[in-house]
Amino acid sequence: MCLPVLLAGTGGAAEQAEDRVDHLAAIQARGTVRVCIWPGYYSISYRNPRSGTLEGIDIDMAHALADDLGVTVAFVDGSFAELVAAMTSDLCDIAMHGVGVREDRAQSMAFSEPYLTSGIYAVVDRHTEGFDQWADIDAPGHVVVVQKGTYMEPEMRSRLKQAELMVVDQFREREEAVISGRADVFMTDYPYGRRMVDLTDWARLLKPSEPVAPTDYAYAVPLGDPAWLARINAFVRTVKADGRLRAAATRHGLLPILAD
């Protein structure tokens, strides 16, 4: 049973520190595990616009986690920009939407063992000239767009020396900027790059010759509850060992980035 919930409200880490939550006890008491997702994440936690149903590796894993806990799952719509608020305001018990493990995020959340690893890819209009290889991106006059709150933002900010960086709030603004000509290329990861190639007739994926900023993806939980983190780590190890994670990765086209 899936119970849709809308992300709302904000809070701070200090507030969370004063009011620790025993998540395992709370989940069992309510009979539901609250799972934060980003419903625009193709192959990860994607709400299919035609059917309205959620699909992706983390949707499968959320159901598997709920089954293992003996409860139902309630999906909480959010985004990467809202991730810290979700983790510090008791809006959900766990974030399962391909969360990149980053040092700055570790101040507001704890991470499970990784289950996917992806580097950065670039999406360009296949009709645009001058983008034959990765090295062509960082050139004078080029505009590179990233989404606020993703790990691509700080990475590209430090890497770009000649191109201009554009930061947008919403994920669709990246492709809109490229389509409109306001930007030349947008940075993404393997799952979203696949989405663009699979679902559009204009996108072309640029892959670097060597991985750029390979980043582990993990499940995020609120700080201060080691028993809950240990339970999630046990879950990750179990689905790796029994083949459920590999089967889900294969089903959603993510086998190339499956973590060991």
Side-chain angles (χ1 to χ4, degrees):
M1 178 181 178
C2 301
L3 306 175
V5 181
L6 295 179
L7 185 60
T10 59
E15 177 184 346
Q16 182 203 36
E18 296 175 359
D19 188 19
R20 301 298 187 189
V21 176
D22 183 338
H23 290 86
L24 279 169
I27 289 165
Q28 293 299 325
R30 81 171 76 94
T32 301
V33 58
R34 302 167 301 170
V35 178
C36 275
I37 61 168
W38 173 39
Y41 210 164
Y42 189 72
S43 295
I44 301 287
S45 55
Y46 183 61
R47 181 170 286 115
N48 190 309
R50 293 186 176 182
S51 64
T53 59
L54 289 168
E55 55 193 42
I57 189 171
D58 281 347
I59 301 304
D60 292 352
M61 289 299 99
H63 284 293
L65 174 62
D67 288 345
D68 285 7
L69 294 172
V71 298
T72 59
V73 57
F75 290 109
V76 182
D77 283 3
S79 68
F80 284 105
E82 299 169 301
L83 178 59
V84 170
M87 289 290 98
T88 57
S89 302
D90 194 33
L91 293 172
C92 53
D93 304 300
I94 183 171
M96 302 180 74
H97 55 90
V99 178
V101 177
R102 290 185 357 205
E103 185 176 350
D104 60 331
R105 287 176 175 165
Q107 301 174 28
S108 306
M109 64 198 75
F111 295 104
S112 72
E113 296 172 8
Y115 66 104
L116 298 173
T117 303
S118 176
I120 297 178
Y121 292 74
V123 175
V124 300
D125 189 317
R126 62 187 180 89
H127 300 106
T128 301
E129 298 180 354
F131 287 89
D132 298 319
Q133 56 187 347
W134 185 268
D136 295 330
I137 295 172
D138 190 16
H142 288 171
V143 178
V144 179
V145 61
V146 297
Q147 182 184 358
K148 181 180 179 180
T150 63
Y151 71 87
M152 292 83 179
E153 180 186 358
E155 188 65 34
M156 297 313 296
R157 194 179 297 280
S158 66
R159 283 178 176 268
L160 295 178
K161 307 303 180 185
Q162 303 180 83
E164 177 187 345
L165 183 67
M166 176 190 294
V167 180
V168 297
D169 291 325
Q170 302 299 322
F171 72 100
R172 290 196 184 278
E173 291 181 69
R174 300 174 305 175
E175 56 203 80
E176 291 169 358
V178 173
I179 292 172
S180 68
R182 291 183 293 112
D184 300 289
V185 55
F186 79 79
M187 314 310 292
T188 188
D189 62 358
Y190 182 80
Y192 203 85
R194 282 195 63 250
R195 175 193 185 277
M196 297 307 301
V197 173
D198 289 350
L199 301 183
T200 76
D201 59 3
W202 62 266
R204 178 165 60 92
L205 201 60
L206 270 184
K207 179 182 178 180
S209 56
E210 297 291 335
V212 171
T215 299
D216 287 336
Y217 291 3
Y219 299 130
V221 298
L223 291 172
D225 192 347
W228 178 226
L229 177 60
R231 180 65 183 85
I232 297 306
N233 278 327
F235 169 74
V236 172
R237 291 192 291 268
T238 297
V239 294
K240 286 181 177 180
D242 65 22
R244 281 182 289 174
L245 182 64
R246 175 170 287 272
T250 301
R251 184 160 52 249
H252 298 290
L254 299 177
L255 196 57
I257 61 170
L258 186 66
D260 294 333

